[in-house]
Amino acid sequence: MRPMRFALALALSLTPAAALAQNAPAARVAPAPATPAPTANAHQPSAFDAAIARGATAYHNRQFDAAATAFREAVSADARNALPHLYLGFVAQAQGVAATALGSFREAARIAQAQGDDANRARALAAIASLNETQGRWDDARNTWNEYATFADGHPDRTFAAVARARAEVIGRRSTLDTEYAPVRERIAERQRVNASGANQQPPPGTVAVPAPR
């Protein structure tokens, strides 16, 4: 398989199904990570490629600790490549460690920006925004989608600004509804507190209510 096609298959296969659904623009606009530098023997993969391949295999076998170890080796082999940090984020996300995943995605975005790696920067921003959504951090999610959209305006061949703006709009509507329904939720909560205290209980028919002692 050619390096570019291998990278595309790996990038898509490493993304969890839920993340792919929410990160569709990022997955589609990043057909390949940065191509590793050629090695002395064209038939032998570089240390970076070998580590990425080991990590991918371990990830698919749900051996997440082994996958993380391999991707860290890839970081050591090429510290200027955002891809292993992105994959470390997906590993941490699969393990349910959101804070670690978010840190890895942010590091991937930082490196990609520094290296002019527009594809992986877009993927990292989408991953950050989607993770914030799953964690209920709506303001952070909307801000990151807006950042993605602004970045996409200058890189239309790598990104989908319309998708990011649609996500930001949906989150904005949700925030508006939350604000509008806050008084309703408070009234319901108050009614539940009153019911739980028994303050509004009525005596059975044919009985005389006895006042509570003061």
Side-chain angles (χ1 to χ4, degrees):
M1 182 179 293
R2 294 179 181 178
M4 296 285 280
R5 294 180 60 191
F6 166 77
L8 169 61
L10 182 59
L12 295 178
S13 61
L14 276 176
T15 307
L20 273 177
Q22 295 182 346
N23 293 352
R28 291 172 57 192
V29 301
T35 305
T39 58
N41 185 341
H43 298 290
Q44 293 295 326
S46 67
F48 178 88
D49 288 339
I52 289 290
R54 287 198 306 276
T57 299
Y59 182 95
H60 287 301
N61 290 331
R62 301 188 64 80
Q63 298 169 344
F64 297 128
D65 289 340
T69 297
F71 292 140
R72 290 191 190 101
E73 291 177 13
V75 171
S76 298
D78 187 354
R80 296 179 300 175
N81 197 314
L83 187 64
H85 292 282
L86 189 66
Y87 288 170
L88 281 168
F90 287 134
V91 170
Q93 192 170 10
Q95 292 177 305
V97 189
T100 300
L102 189 60
S104 294
F105 291 147
R106 285 175 173 163
E107 182 66 3
R110 185 193 67 78
I111 293 173
Q113 181 176 8
Q115 296 300 316
D117 183 356
D118 297 337
N120 279 323
R121 183 182 174 190
R123 296 172 66 207
L125 288 175
I128 292 168
S130 296
L131 180 58
N132 280 327
E133 283 193 50
T134 64
Q135 295 296 304
R137 294 191 289 265
W138 303 112
D139 288 342
D140 290 341
R142 181 169 55 178
N143 290 339
T144 307
W145 280 126
N146 284 331
E147 181 183 355
Y148 179 105
T150 300
F151 174 71
D153 287 338
H155 305 80
D157 59 328
R158 294 286 188 177
T159 53
F160 285 88
V163 175
R165 288 196 169 92
R167 292 305 308 150
E169 182 180 351
V170 168
I171 295 170
R173 289 201 302 268
R174 184 189 189 284
S175 179
T176 299
L177 289 174
D178 281 347
T179 300
E180 291 176 349
Y181 281 94
V184 177
R185 289 195 299 271
E186 178 56 31
R187 287 197 296 271
I188 293 173
E190 177 61 23
R191 187 178 302 118
Q192 291 173 338
R193 287 193 292 268
V194 170
N195 290 341
S197 70
N200 66 342
Q201 292 182 2
Q202 299 298 321
T207 63
V208 178
V210 178
R214 294 182 182 273

